[in-house]
Amino acid sequence: MINKLSATLISTLLCANLSGCNTVTEPVNVDSRYETYIQVGQAFKHTHFNNIQGTPITLNPNKNKLVILFATWCSDSQRTLKELQASSLLHDSSVQIIAIGREENSTTLSKFNIDYQLPFDLVADPDRAIYKQYANKGVPRLILLDKHNNVVKTLIGEQANILDQVIW
């Protein structure tokens, strides 16, 4: 019994560390495990997407943007999206929000959105084609872009109240 329990515990801990989505109560000290492949001042590489309904969307040249790279199964992503729902950012007409589901397809994101009712575009990224352009691991990732689609700030949202740091 002890051996089975130990194996389960070790397996759980290993999987949690490999997932890139760890629940943390203390502020996160980002270490070398998390690599960000786009830096402040660089242009965001994607300006056109198709949302989960198949509708083409474009980054709005008249707005600041908040791009969220997330996963539906990730508790940190879920918390961040709930915090976003309660924030004034949703009502800020000067900000465009797009959430990109890492390793998610349109069907999964549609089912997820039944519960969350997110009032912004969701984009499926089933094979990490978008995500791997910006990071090696860790969700949620928040990327703040200016009106010219240049990076203002990148954040790893593995802590509560990460939206407090969303300032252009």
Side-chain angles (χ1 to χ4, degrees):
M1 181 66 159
I2 301 259
N3 288 338
K4 193 174 198 179
L5 181 61
S6 296
T8 301
L9 180 60
I10 290 169
S11 174
T12 301
L13 291 172
L14 284 173
C15 287
N17 285 329
L18 294 175
S19 75
C21 177
N22 299 319
T23 302
V24 181
T25 56
E26 298 296 320
V28 174
N29 292 323
V30 178
D31 62 28
S32 61
R33 297 179 305 140
Y34 295 106
E35 293 180 34
T36 301
Y37 302 144
I38 190 164
Q39 304 303 317
V40 171
Q42 290 182 321
F44 195 72
K45 299 171 186 175
H46 294 82
T47 57
H48 297 81
F49 304 93
N50 286 323
N51 67 17
I52 59 175
Q53 290 82 25
T55 304
I57 55 172
T58 302
L59 295 182
N60 189 324
N62 299 313
K63 295 184 177 192
N64 291 325
K65 293 93 176 163
L66 172 59
V67 177
I68 304 167
L69 306 172
F70 79 105
T72 60
W73 52 265
C74 172
S75 60
D76 294 326
S77 292
Q78 293 167 7
R79 184 194 61 250
T80 298
L81 291 172
K82 286 178 183 175
E83 289 174 2
L84 181 57
Q85 286 175 311
S87 79
S88 62
L89 281 171
L90 286 185
H91 309 290
D92 187 339
S93 61
S94 68
V95 177
Q96 178 183 17
I97 302 171
I98 297 173
I100 301 169
R102 183 187 83 179
E103 297 175 3
E104 306 282 356
N105 60 41
S106 294
T107 302
T108 304
L109 290 174
S110 293
K111 288 178 183 175
F112 177 79
N113 206 28
I114 289 170
D115 292 331
Y116 280 76
Q117 296 295 306
L118 300 170
F120 45 81
D121 286 302
L122 298 178
V123 174
D125 186 21
D127 58 0
R128 288 188 180 208
I130 299 169
Y131 182 87
K132 68 183 176 185
Q133 299 289 311
Y134 304 105
N136 68 331
K137 62 182 174 179
V139 287
R141 291 278 186 145
L142 289 75
I143 304 173
L144 285 68
L145 307 175
D146 64 16
K147 293 178 182 178
H148 305 289
N149 300 330
N150 294 318
V151 175
V152 174
K153 185 185 290 189
T154 63
L155 301 165
I156 299 174
E158 291 185 345
Q159 62 193 32
N161 303 315
I162 192 67
L163 294 179
D164 293 345
Q165 297 179 45
V166 175
I167 301 169
W168 277 267

